Amino acid sequence: MIALGSDHAGYELKREIMKYLDEKGLKYKDYGTYGPESADYPVYGEKAARAVASGECDRGILVCGTGVGIGIAANKVRGIRCATVSDCYSAEMARRHNDANMVAVGARVVGVGLALKIIEIFLETPSEGGRHAKRAGLIMDIENR
Ligand code: RB5
């Protein structure tokens, strides 16, 4: 199950992402916002992030205008490693090296085609483990200090 979240700026792109996930037969749960009216990105970033952190969802995809604000909000939730990404290489490495469990994209930064490619890479790329798993663990240790 994939957790989705966006603000108003990300709402239309989130709908495109839903269409893409439907076509792929992938299940998702949308944690809002549910319309194009102005909405506060931290609210929806947190909701989707809590679904991932609790294990209710395996991964999360977030969208706001830049992907930055909603990504920062998600990373405040314990257990979340959210990467704000606007290119394919970073999407791949966010999985391989950082074991990112959420990705954030900016609807005002990337077009639909690139956003969907980023999401495809994020969903299909495994984490490399090894020394990278140790480093991801060190990131999570920061939450406990
Ligand atoms: C909303 O105007 C915008 O600030 C928001 O979507 C996002 O880009 C914040 O990081």
Side-chain angles (χ1 to χ4, degrees):
M1 182 70 75
I2 298 163
L4 300 180
S6 78
D7 68 356
H8 57 289
Y11 176 70
E12 282 305 327
L13 177 55
K14 184 176 66 178
R15 285 165 59 96
E16 294 293 333
I17 293 168
M18 287 174 177
K19 264 194 254 170
Y20 169 83
L21 296 174
D22 285 336
E23 281 164 16
K24 290 264 178 187
L26 296 170
K27 295 210 179 314
Y28 57 84
K29 189 164 174 194
D30 182 15
Y31 289 87
T33 189
Y34 301 112
E37 301 78 23
S38 183
D40 299 324
Y41 60 82
V43 173
Y44 306 100
E46 181 185 357
K47 283 184 187 194
R50 291 213 181 277
V52 174
S54 70
E56 190 183 335
C57 292
D58 315 296
R59 298 273 183 89
I61 300 169
L62 301 173
V63 195
C64 69
T66 58
V68 173
I70 203 161
I72 290 173
N75 276 315
K76 293 289 180 187
V77 174
R78 187 180 293 272
I80 295 302
R81 293 176 303 284
C82 181
T84 295
V85 162
S86 52
D87 67 276
C88 295
Y89 179 74
S90 300
E92 182 179 337
M93 300 315 276
R95 286 290 310 133
R96 286 198 188 287
H97 285 192
N98 313 120
D99 194 17
N101 50 12
M102 299 190 82
V103 70
V105 291
R108 296 172 180 163
V109 180
V110 297
V112 176
L114 178 54
L116 296 182
K117 192 70 198 167
I118 285 168
I119 284 157
E120 178 184 308
I121 292 167
F122 170 72
L123 293 176
E124 292 182 2
T125 305
S127 164
E128 272 181 27
R131 68 184 187 280
H132 301 296
K134 178 195 161 205
R135 291 167 186 162
L138 289 170
I139 293 174
M140 306 328 284
D141 287 349
I142 296 169
E143 294 173 344
N144 301 317
R145 288 203 282 273

